[in-house]
Amino acid sequence: VAVGAVLLNRVEHKDFPNTLSEVIYQSLALESVSNGRFNSYAGEESIRAAKDAINGWDPTYGCLYFWTPATATSKWIWTREIVVQYGNHVFGI
């Protein structure tokens, strides 16, 4: 749900593309698109999470970014304020 909420938050934000498709496929924006994992099968849990995000649940409180601290190599991403953490991912603005 949190990742989906971030994507939808980006659609609404002036600094990002205006459609979900454009946000998802924005160059270098999502590692899962770059490495091809995005096109793998979405299980029932993922589908429910996507529906929850589309229906307005935002457990990130408006965040625009998410990353895995253990593997993040971008110095820029660490300039973002971390708002919340779920599992191995942090979510920031």
Side-chain angles (χ1 to χ4, degrees):
V1 177
V3 170
V6 166
L7 299 178
L8 293 170
N9 291 341
R10 288 181 181 189
V11 170
E12 297 299 321
H13 195 275
K14 65 178 178 61
D15 292 341
F16 292 92
N18 297 326
T19 70
L20 187 55
S21 179
E22 290 173 321
V23 165
I24 290 169
Y25 290 104
Q26 186 176 17
S27 182
L28 303 176
L30 299 173
E31 182 181 356
S32 62
V33 173
S34 300
N35 67 21
R37 288 185 59 213
F38 177 77
N39 293 316
S40 62
Y41 173 75
E44 289 299 317
E45 184 178 14
S46 296
I47 292 168
R48 281 193 304 275
K51 288 178 181 179
D52 286 341
I54 288 169
N55 287 325
W57 183 18
D58 183 1
T60 75
Y61 310 100
C63 286
L64 298 171
Y65 306 98
F66 64 93
W67 65 98
T68 305
T71 60
T73 58
S74 166
K75 291 181 182 182
W76 177 85
I77 199 66
W78 289 104
T79 68
R80 308 293 86 206
E81 176 187 344
I82 295 172
V83 174
V84 67
Q85 180 171 350
Y86 296 111
N88 294 331
H89 289 85
V90 292
F91 296 80
I93 52 175

